[in-house]
Amino acid sequence: MDKVDAIIVGGGLAGLTAAYHLATAGRQVILLERGDAPGSKNVTGGRIYVDPIKDYLPGIIAEAPFERHVVKEIITVLDDDASVQLEYANDRWRSEPYMSYTVLRATFDGWLAEKVSEKGAFVIPKKKVDDLLWEEDRVVGIKAGDEEIGAHIVIAADGALSFMAEKAGLRKPLEPRNYAVAIKEIYRLDEKTIDDRFGLQPGEGTANLFVGAITRGMFGGGFLYTNRDTLSLGIVVGIGDLIQQKDPVAASLLMEEFAARPEVQRWIRGGELKEYAAHIISEAGAGGIPKLYTGGMLVAGDAAGFSLNLGLTVRGMEFAVASGAIAAGVADEALAKGDLSAAFLSRYEQKLKESFVLSDMETFRHARDVLENKRLFTVYPKFLSELLAALFTIGKGKKEPLYTSAKAAVRKYILNWEGCKDLFSVRKM
Amino acid sequence: MNVVVLVKQIPDPEALVAIGGDGVSLDIEQKFAMNLFDEFAIEEALRIKAKHAGKVKVITLGSRKAIEALRTGIAMGADEAVLLEDEAFLAGDGYATALVLSRAIAKEPFDIILCGRQAIDDDRGEVGPMVAQFLGLPHVGGILKLDVADGRAVAEVAVEGGKETVEVQLPALFTAQKGLNEPRVPLITGVMRAMKAQIARATAADLGLATAQAGRPGSKVKVVQYSPPKKKPAVQIIPGAPREAAIEAVRILMDVERVL
Ligand SMILES: Cc1cc2nc3c(=O)[nH]c(=O)nc-3n(C[C@H](O)[C@H](O)[C@H](O)COP(=O)(O)OP(=O)(O)OC[C@H]3O[C@@H](n4cnc5c(N)ncnc54)[C@H](O)[C@@H]3O)c2cc1C
């Protein structure tokens, strides 16, 4: 069988970055994406940090079509009928080089796909890869429909559900507990309205996170990012928690309730709903990383479990870009040597350990144990809300001294055995 | 057997379309697709080539972006593609478009011209017949079957309640109707070939046309105004047990909407 140098499965950030590097190195690359176009199926919050990725997309990152640079963070803690909002702004974030940007994947991935094509790679949408081709214990290509295409190396960058990694025997079948479901809506709102509503200068953006009653005690949270002339609103909930509910609720219902909250309405009011998407996020952390290579194949990005769901935020795009670039580097070396054995490709894992990808994943290995604590989403939001209610409420009778009300709230919610345990567990992060 | 296929790139059926402030310009989301009926035409051309040898050439009139439709044609198996690209071609009606296309087709000998029976964006279905007229050829519209032999073609077209079989002398022009065939999905290797393919271009000057003959100046029909479709009322969800809800649904259909 004729073989191309490399086939990349999946046109997300991991696959596109890998294709970019291999094509730049002069390799013959085919990238197959099942969506109508790269980015069309990709869901992210999202926000991307520049420093971790700029060396992995050298030269071109400066022209990337980001939405807005983030200059402030807003955290909203919600009780059933009350909320506390905290805003953190930092003047340093207002000047270049900017630390992080909001992004829309259809735009961003579309742009990156163009860069990849300019380098001579074949980016082919509307092609779903169905299977891998094998010669003994080595992957030697892919099957898509009736077509078989040979390749010296296959890079699986097919996202969180990666069937390629599963087919290669690198990953066990999915377990619900290890995944969260996310629902995201995009609202169109004109640029000036967004600037005014969020108190931003042109080009500036905010990242808004929501935690508390909106997930009904389940692991997760909500987000709202300002794009140029749209808002990305979404909610993330652990699937394990969702299916264990006594009275199961659909994630879509949680999304509806979330979007109806006044704390959210104040931002999205008047916006026109443009897109609705659902996606899966791995929340297994370092424990969910499959074997990362086999003869003739590497796994990158979400497919390799490289994402950190820290409840309030999800981090995966930087890992996708970095692991895609590192995979391409190793693939290029292997092609040069003509050695595509698992033994040679094992240096991929070594290189990931030396980069932030596997070291950050390791640092947060136990984060889930801490974050899965239901009290974070129920007790603590209630405590905050009651404390502030005590502070601000004045009725007919005598007002208790502030100290007394505060003490009562602390006793009720925090100063107990559970609270001490929680405090103790935070050390793990 | 040389077959020419005329294709049109149209806004993706899911693309958002807004009417401009002047009432005659359209603001269309930059998402495109090949006209569905043209895919049937390409597929039929490829089948004719498979049976009778020869070559398939796809032609489109459009902006640079329309190359994508041509590449789709090549990915499916067409041999050549020509983009008719010129400022002067823009904003033309069916007449002006058909004139330019007929000039481009006439540049080389051909046996069969195929195109879609209508473009699903403006639904006018006039370019095919007009091209046949400009070239002085027979035109068979909305074909469901095509057989070619000995310089003649036998085609089936739908008529009210049945089918009509017609015969024409080649060269002739046929417009493809849904049901003619099942268009193939391009192979990966086909897409790779298409991405590498050189696409020929032709301008008004290349076709011996004066700018006054093409585009808006060459048009006979002028768009005066676009009006948006009536806004659909919001979805109504009928609550309650299935039985009661069904009864209520029937009541609404009969008494309120009066469609039953
Ligand atoms: C709601 C949500 C919010 C998030 N927020 C953030 C954030 O703010 N910041 C951040 O850094 N990260 C965030 N993430 C995580 C981030 O989006 C992912 O980590 C990142 O998209 C992973 O990129 P990837 O290239 O590995 O996978 P993907 O972007 O998922 O790309 C995989 C691609 O493979 C294609 N594919 C799959 N199977 C096949 C097949 N068989 N054949 C062909 N193609 C196939 C898919 O269509 C898809 O295009 C968020 C994720 C979600 C869901």
Side-chain angles (χ1 to χ4, degrees), chain A residues 4 28 30 32 122-125 127 142 144 147 149 188 274, chain B residues 12 14 16 29 185-193 195-196:
Chain A
V4 296
Q28 191 187 17
I30 303 178
L32 301 171
F122 293 103
V123 178
I124 305 185
K127 280 289 169 195
I142 59 91
E147 241 180 322
I149 309 267
R188 195 202 298 272
K274 228 184 92 186
Chain B
D12 187 283
E14 283 177 21
L16 303 171
E29 191 188 356
V185 176
L187 294 178
I188 294 166
T189 45
V191 177
M192 289 167 67
R193 199 166 66 85
M195 284 176 168
K196 281 190 294 202

Side-chain angles (χ1 to χ4, degrees), chain A residues 135-349:
Chain A
E135 257 168 35
E136 286 157 30
D137 57 353
R138 181 174 302 180
V139 175
V140 292
I142 59 91
K143 213 172 158 211
D146 296 332
E147 241 180 322
E148 297 190 342
I149 309 267
H152 294 294
I153 190 159
V154 171
I155 298 180
D158 51 340
L161 288 172
S162 185
F163 288 109
M164 292 304 126
E166 198 174 319
K167 288 217 185 270
L170 299 177
R171 196 199 64 198
K172 288 196 244 34
L174 309 170
E175 258 182 67
R177 175 175 179 272
N178 286 339
Y179 292 85
V181 60
I183 301 216
K184 177 180 162 185
E185 297 177 339
I186 297 184
Y187 290 88
R188 195 202 298 272
L189 206 61
D190 77 80
E191 209 167 330
K192 183 78 177 44
T193 309
I194 294 180
D195 292 348
D196 293 348
R197 209 171 269 185
F198 290 83
L200 300 165
Q201 297 298 316
E204 294 181 349
T206 65
N208 305 245
L209 302 168
F210 299 82
V211 65
I214 50 167
T215 54
R216 301 196 188 179
M218 291 179 275
F219 176 49
F223 60 82
L224 190 162
Y225 293 100
T226 54
N227 305 312
R228 201 173 50 77
D229 58 358
T230 56
L231 299 174
S232 295
L233 178 75
I235 194 165
V236 180
V237 202
I239 294 180
D241 276 1
L242 258 184
I243 55 182
Q244 267 174 23
Q245 291 284 300
K246 262 195 257 90
D247 186 10
V249 278
S252 54
L253 181 67
L254 291 180
M255 179 71 205
E256 243 172 70
E257 290 175 358
F258 172 51
R261 289 282 307 219
E263 294 86 350
V264 172
Q265 277 298 321
R266 64 174 288 207
W267 301 125
I268 65 172
R269 175 167 36 87
E272 179 200 346
L273 182 59
K274 228 184 92 186
E275 264 176 54
Y276 186 92
H279 207 271
I280 293 282
I281 301 174
S282 162
E283 55 180 51
I289 296 176
K291 193 161 172 261
L292 298 168
Y293 56 89
T294 186
M297 176 165 148
L298 299 171
V299 190
D302 270 9
F306 298 151
S307 75
L308 277 176
N309 180 0
L310 298 177
L312 272 186
T313 59
V314 182
R315 230 187 115 191
M317 286 190 279
E318 295 116 46
F319 296 142
V321 168
S323 62
I326 294 169
V330 172
D332 187 41
E333 268 181 70
L335 287 165
K337 278 215 143 190
D339 183 355
L340 295 137
S341 66
F344 187 87
L345 294 179
S346 69
R347 64 185 55 200
Y348 174 51
E349 181 163 355

Side-chain angles (χ1 to χ4, degrees), chain A residues 111-131:
Chain A
W111 164 79
L112 189 51
E114 241 163 65
K115 294 283 154 198
V116 172
S117 302
E118 279 169 20
K119 291 283 175 193
F122 293 103
V123 178
I124 305 185
K126 298 185 196 167
K127 280 289 169 195
K128 177 168 164 280
V129 175
D130 298 313
D131 213 343

